Amino acid sequence: MKKIIALFAVIIALGLGFLYFAANMPFGEQSVNQISTPEIGSPNQLQDQTINQDSQIPEINDGQPAEATSSEPTAPTAEEKDQTTIGKSVQGRDIIAYHFGAGAQEIILVGGIHGGYAWNTALLGYEIIDYLKANPDAIGANAKITVIPALNIDGLNKVVDAAGKFSAADISASPTARAAGRFNTNNVDLNRNFDCDWKETGLWQSKTVSGGTAAFSEPETAAIKNYVQENKPAAVVAWYVSGGGVYASSCGNGILPETQTILDLYANASGYPAHKNFESYQVSGDMTDWFAKNGIPAIGILLKTADKTEWSQNWAGINAILKYYSE
């Protein structure tokens, strides 16, 4: 009997001990693993979500939100409004015309038709652009001037690695490069590529040069042709080198009376001698002669040298024509 009572006491003690131990024991790994995790995630997961959401916010520069971009085109600047890309060269360079004044009588000034060989004629064009920007009152109410400083922009690039205005110091001293610069990338003399007595081969002094595969086969000559036909200018002045003189244009139909007028105006004001014809050698496909063929008064000015713009003489001539068309 005593043994039974003792055994019963031991069982009771063990049971009480077990209950005490279970009541004070923390959750073990098994209990934790059996608890389902809420779907909202852990604090680290919440932080990752916040970072991902923040990455969608526009970048901030210097503490300020980045400006919103717009697909709408921006308005052209005042300078861009005063210039037109009339075409592209063989190599894809822009042929740019700069416009001054708002009158009905448009006078076109063309430089650089012989590119790097006559780089001073292109520089003269840029000098006139700078002068007219600084002196807009030089143009009368009835006149408008359009300056195309470098018609043969690829040929000019053969001797000067610059876009836009340059200086004489930028020009290559190589005579070979300058001679090559007379022609465009297709090796065509652009002043033999116009539709007046056009020939596939022409003359430059005693040399045979290419006039292109047809009149206006070159993008540069086509560009000025299209601009002239669309805008119908009152007169055209073109610069070449060298020899010194003002030459009238004609294309088998005599000199236009208005051509004679601007010839005399330019020659008297500039001091260059006036010539009715160019007689040094036969020229085919000439630009100013094509203007004459289409009833547009045009003169060609041969500068005295190939390395100076002869600014004062040429501005005096241009100014005389400006006053004539502003009356």
Side-chain angles (χ1 to χ4, degrees):
M1 185 66 179
K2 290 181 179 178
K3 291 181 180 180
I4 293 172
I5 293 171
L7 179 59
F8 185 76
V10 170
I11 291 172
I12 292 171
L14 288 172
L16 293 172
F18 177 80
L19 291 173
Y20 178 82
F21 179 79
N24 291 278
M25 182 185 72
F27 289 131
E29 291 181 2
Q30 183 178 4
S31 299
V32 173
N33 291 337
Q34 290 173 348
I35 297 174
S36 62
T37 303
E39 293 183 357
I40 59 172
S42 66
N44 287 339
Q45 290 173 318
L46 289 173
Q47 185 180 19
D48 291 341
Q49 290 175 1
T50 303
I51 291 171
N52 290 335
Q53 291 171 355
D54 289 344
S55 66
Q56 299 174 15
I57 299 175
E59 293 183 2
I60 295 176
N61 298 319
D62 298 329
Q64 298 296 328
E67 294 182 2
T69 58
S70 172
S71 59
E72 295 182 3
T74 57
T77 64
E79 185 171 350
E80 289 171 338
K81 288 180 181 178
D82 293 335
Q83 63 188 54
T84 305
T85 298
I86 65 170
K88 300 278 188 180
S89 68
V90 174
Q91 293 186 345
R93 293 183 175 89
D94 289 340
I95 302 170
I96 300 177
Y98 298 81
H99 311 289
F100 303 90
Q105 302 275 54
E106 182 177 11
I107 305 141
I108 299 179
L109 311 178
V110 185
I113 190 171
H114 285 144
Y117 176 76
W119 60 264
N120 55 330
T121 66
L123 185 55
L124 175 58
Y126 286 117
E127 287 179 351
I128 290 169
I129 290 167
D130 286 346
Y131 182 84
L132 293 176
K133 285 180 179 179
N135 300 276
D137 293 340
I139 303 173
N142 294 329
K144 172 182 177 180
I145 283 189
T146 292
V147 186
I148 303 171
L151 184 61
N152 184 5
I153 190 69
D154 288 351
L156 181 63
N157 190 254
K158 293 177 184 180
V159 300
V160 57
D161 186 15
K165 187 181 177 182
F166 55 93
S167 69
D170 297 322
I171 299 299
S172 169
S174 167
T176 302
R178 292 192 186 189
R182 178 183 175 94
F183 310 100
N184 77 345
T185 300
N186 292 333
N187 203 35
V188 172
D189 186 325
L190 296 184
N191 204 46
R192 305 293 181 270
N193 190 236
F194 287 80
D195 187 20
C196 174
D197 299 328
W198 175 83
K199 296 178 182 178
E200 191 170 355
T201 58
L203 287 177
W204 169 37
Q205 299 173 356
S206 60
K207 305 175 183 66
T208 300
V209 296
S210 172
T213 57
F216 301 111
S217 62
E218 306 310 296
E220 297 91 347
T221 56
I224 193 167
K225 169 197 171 188
N226 293 338
Y227 182 86
V228 165
Q229 289 181 335
E230 181 177 348
N231 293 277
K232 298 177 176 56
V236 178
V237 175
W239 298 298
Y240 307 91
V241 296
S242 56
V246 185
Y247 291 82
S249 60
S250 65
C251 190
N253 55 353
I255 299 173
L256 297 170
E258 191 83 347
T259 296
Q260 185 66 55
T261 298
I262 63 174
L263 173 78
D264 293 338
L265 284 169
Y266 203 106
N268 291 335
S270 66
Y272 292 123
H275 301 276
K276 293 184 180 295
N277 300 294
F278 181 80
E279 297 177 342
S280 298
Y281 51 90
Q282 185 178 11
V283 175
S284 56
D286 179 82
M287 178 174 65
T288 57
D289 288 345
W290 176 77
F291 292 138
K293 180 180 179 180
N294 288 272
I296 299 170
I299 55 174
I301 290 84
L302 280 175
L303 275 61
K304 291 182 288 187
T305 69
D307 57 5
K308 291 181 175 61
T309 63
E310 300 162 27
W311 163 258
S312 60
Q313 288 179 269
N314 284 288
W315 174 248
I318 294 164
N319 195 36
I321 291 177
L322 258 178
K323 290 180 178 178
Y324 172 73
Y325 283 105
S326 296
E327 294 176 352

